Amino acid sequence: MAAAETYSPFVRGVASTVPLIQKGKRQDGRFPEECRPLYLSLGTVPAASGSAYLEFKDTKIICSVFGPRQNTRGGAAFTSDGQLRCDVKFTTFATGARRKYGQDPEAKDITFAVQGALQGAVLLEAFPKAIVDVQILVVEGQGGEVAAAITCASAALAHAGIPMRDLVIGASVAQVEGELVLDPSSAEERLADGVLVLGMTSSANEVTQLVVKGAWSAAATTEAMELCMDGCAQLDEVVREVLRANGATSARA
């Protein structure tokens, strides 16, 4: 299991004074253990070796994979295995408030989390001395960007035919008003006492990334991880169905 890392999503506006959970349901009508509907399509970037577009309602992400290709970067450390290189950027309009295009501190944190989640699942020895670039663009970011980026990147790698031990699916849980909620929205993340993001290989159930913000008791951490695992299992069915429909078979079942 990967060591826990801290992650602090930027505050993106004034939090609502209306309770986020009323009569057992969240503001968007979901139950605490319910994900937003997932939409996933492949081949959205024709120039890439593989690509994926993912939506969790108002969180929208595009991932493009290029390679394997020769590493021409000067001064790069020699390695007999291949290399995986991830890069996350936000559009200027991704989170409502205008921001500079490119890598700000939040994008760098997400890049680090996605890289760690995928690194162990990709068979780097299958493309020695070559590099695979994973370019992720957050078109709209309204909560759960880290988990969504992990899932989208994994699907894009499979679409590109990159050899993988398994798919990696991401899910997140927030502590909101004394309850654990799966796949939090940006409003829920803003008011959360803590956020936990988990990346997991979908067949082997191996945790490849654990990202934690806030104070968590041991019991709450265990419960949140179990909820994330349930969410990953739900999402895995959708991702695999889309991959099968597109003939992508690089991830080992």
Side-chain angles (χ1 to χ4, degrees):
M1 181 185 299
E5 301 289 344
T6 59
Y7 165 68
S8 300
F10 288 175
V11 173
R12 295 173 181 152
V14 178
S16 171
T17 57
V18 179
L20 294 178
I21 301 175
Q22 298 187 70
K23 298 181 179 179
K25 286 194 174 183
R26 295 144 79 174
Q27 284 186 345
D28 58 9
R30 288 184 291 152
F31 290 104
E33 69 279 4
E34 193 175 350
C35 290
R36 291 169 290 183
L38 168 63
Y39 171 78
L40 176 68
S41 64
L42 304 177
T44 50
V45 182
S49 304
S51 58
Y53 171 73
L54 179 148
E55 284 186 9
F56 279 109
K57 198 174 180 180
D58 293 329
T59 293
K60 303 174 182 179
I61 292 177
I62 297 173
C63 179
S64 305
V65 173
F66 298 90
R69 55 192 178 188
Q70 184 179 2
N71 188 358
T72 58
R73 179 178 292 184
F78 173 80
T79 173
S80 58
D81 288 342
Q83 296 182 57
L84 183 71
R85 184 167 60 195
C86 296
D87 181 68
V88 177
K89 292 183 172 66
F90 284 77
T91 62
T92 58
F93 51 83
T95 56
R98 187 170 180 82
R99 60 198 297 166
K100 291 183 178 179
Y101 173 78
Q103 269 219 336
D104 55 24
E106 183 178 13
K108 289 180 180 178
D109 282 348
I110 298 176
T111 296
F112 181 80
V114 173
Q115 177 93 30
L118 298 175
Q119 189 80 28
V122 175
L123 294 170
L124 300 177
E125 63 272 20
F127 45 97
K129 304 178 185 178
I131 191 162
V132 170
D133 282 304
V134 179
Q135 299 179 4
I136 299 166
L137 180 64
V138 180
V139 180
E140 290 187 42
Q142 296 300 320
E145 291 85 6
V146 180
I150 290 170
T151 303
C152 190
S154 182
L157 284 164
H159 182 244
I162 303 301
M164 300 169 69
R165 293 180 176 85
D166 202 348
L167 287 175
V168 181
I169 306 296
S172 58
V173 165
Q175 296 185 78
V176 178
E177 297 173 359
E179 291 219 38
L180 297 180
V181 297
L182 181 63
D183 182 29
S185 65
S186 57
E188 291 168 337
E189 285 183 344
R190 283 197 299 269
L191 289 180
D193 295 321
V195 176
L196 182 148
V197 184
L198 182 141
M200 186 178 74
T201 56
S202 57
S203 295
N205 292 333
E206 176 186 350
V207 174
T208 63
Q209 183 61 281
L210 182 62
V211 183
V212 180
K213 175 201 170 189
W216 291 78
S217 67
T221 300
T222 299
E223 186 179 352
M225 290 181 66
E226 290 175 350
L227 188 54
C228 278
M229 289 177 181
D230 288 342
C232 287
Q234 296 173 37
L235 299 174
D236 176 60
E237 294 180 9
V238 179
V239 174
R240 287 188 181 274
E241 182 179 344
V242 173
L243 290 171
R244 283 193 295 267
N246 284 268
T249 58
S250 70
R252 297 180 178 178

